[in-house]
Amino acid sequence: MSELYPLYRDDKSVEETIKLMKSPGYIRTDYGDFISGDVKLSEFTNNIYFDGVAPIEVLESIEAIWQAAIDKVNAQSNQ
């Protein structure tokens, strides 16, 4: 939190906001951040929106890429 204090007018705002963000019901983890370098969401959406490919077909075509990225993150977290 220490790097956040200079960005706001008062310490209480920082502390209350961080506490709220970590509360169950509010906290959300964007798992895409962990695999963003290996997986491109556009590979999924563009094929559906622009090329008219069925979602299941797109998923099957990129499944190995996404699974490899997930496996890589899981391996790193187990070290």
Side-chain angles (χ1 to χ4, degrees):
M1 284 193 302
S2 60
E3 70 271 4
L4 296 174
Y5 288 117
L7 302 175
Y8 300 94
R9 286 186 235 165
D10 62 283
D11 295 349
K12 185 178 176 183
S13 296
V14 173
E15 292 162 6
E16 289 177 352
T17 301
I18 298 298
K19 182 178 178 181
L20 180 65
M21 289 171 49
K22 291 183 176 186
S23 299
Y26 291 99
I27 190 168
R28 297 215 189 269
T29 301
D30 184 359
Y31 295 104
D33 290 342
F34 296 109
I35 59 173
S36 62
D38 300 315
V39 172
K40 293 175 181 45
L41 186 56
S42 61
E43 291 176 357
F44 177 72
T45 57
N46 289 350
N47 286 326
I48 295 170
Y49 294 133
F50 300 121
D51 300 331
V53 179
I56 189 65
E57 291 177 34
V58 178
L59 285 173
E60 289 171 349
S61 72
I62 60 176
E63 179 181 14
I65 297 167
W66 288 31
Q67 189 61 56
I70 292 167
D71 292 345
K72 179 179 165 186
V73 170
N74 286 335
Q76 291 171 349
S77 67
N78 290 328
Q79 292 179 352

